[in-house]
Amino acid sequence: DPRQEPGNDARTAALARPVPTKPSRILDAPDIVDDYYLNLLSWSSSNVLAVALANNVYLWNAATNEVSELLQLEQGDCVTSVSWAPGGSHLCVGTDSAAVQLWDASRMALVRSMRGHTARVGSLAWNPVFLRRPLFSLPFAAMASTRRRPTRRRPRGRGCSRARHRREIAALDALPERTRRQRDVTQVSRCVNSGSRDALVLQHDARARQHRTATLVGHQQEVCGLSWSADGATLASGGNENYLCLWDAARSGQAQPSECAPRAIMRQHQ
């Protein structure tokens, strides 16, 4: 038994790490909703903690200890979930009124509000994998008038992709303000999933005009938790009926909303 070797106790003691028994800091959280089905905390990659308190969302910067109010919903509504985008600049917010909002934390501004659920949105999860290129919801006529028709076959390469991207950005800036709102979400090159009390999981692409790209049907009660695998290929969802569903990202992205079924359902939980 290696645990009985001479000197093993000394090596174990050297590798041991003390675990704090007291919190390093305690923050006041008045009016936090007492409901363990909700996800009211989210820590960003830029070391900012988002806290949902009733119908408000506050941001606490751990480096500077500064607190700022990001949003305040109307009376009668409340925040039911928050989740930072992997880049740390955008925050997704689920509400009791069944809305999914995307906020730009750097500008303290609402980018977009997305509908589709019929009950409160208690869980959110961002796909951790970047898409290959941004998706622009430009009108077809605008794209046709700004994109040059090539006279010869373009070689494929990194430089050509960057040039095409710059032309699309220039075309977007030349459009009216109401169409140019899509520029605010081009930095979020990931999709976000929302779980609701209506037992559905929706996939949203805030950059597209039709933001709902998939509807995942497999739960019978409220969806309480969502989490993507590290490679962005599989989404796990947990429901109040004790189901754990696994969804294939490629399959859900190609199928029609009514055809999206889980790859596997685990019903052994009690």
Side-chain angles (χ1 to χ4, degrees), residues 89-104:
S89 60
H90 290 77
L91 181 71
C92 200
V93 177
T95 70
D96 189 59
S97 60
V100 177
Q101 298 181 354
L102 180 64
W103 286 78
D104 186 344

Side-chain angles (χ1 to χ4, degrees), residues 133 154 159-169:
R133 59 190 295 262
R154 293 181 179 177
C160 294
S161 177
R162 288 185 175 181
R164 181 172 60 249
H165 180 66
R166 286 194 296 268
R167 285 195 298 272
E168 291 172 343
I169 290 292

Side-chain angles (χ1 to χ4, degrees), residues 15-115:
L15 295 175
R17 184 180 65 180
V19 178
T21 58
K22 296 182 180 180
S24 59
R25 188 181 298 272
I26 299 178
L27 303 176
D28 292 331
D31 298 328
I32 191 168
V33 180
D34 185 11
D35 190 336
Y36 58 85
Y37 286 111
L38 306 182
N39 296 273
L40 305 177
L41 300 173
S42 182
W43 209 303
S44 75
S45 57
S46 56
N47 207 18
V48 176
L49 178 65
V51 183
L53 302 177
N55 61 337
N56 298 273
V57 173
Y58 292 91
L59 306 180
W60 176 67
N61 191 314
T64 63
N65 200 30
E66 294 180 354
V67 178
S68 56
E69 183 184 39
L70 176 64
L71 66 95
Q72 182 178 13
L73 301 178
E74 297 180 355
Q75 291 296 329
D77 199 0
C78 70
V79 179
T80 51
S81 57
V82 291
S83 180
W84 282 103
S89 60
H90 290 77
L91 181 71
C92 200
V93 177
T95 70
D96 189 59
S97 60
V100 177
Q101 298 181 354
L102 180 64
W103 286 78
D104 186 344
S106 61
R107 298 191 295 114
M108 296 291 183
L110 175 64
V111 176
R112 187 171 187 179
S113 182
M114 298 172 286
R115 291 284 179 173

Side-chain angles (χ1 to χ4, degrees), residues 119-132:
R120 72 179 188 182
V121 181
S123 55
L124 298 164
W126 290 86
N127 191 309
V129 177
F130 274 105
L131 300 178
R132 288 188 175 273

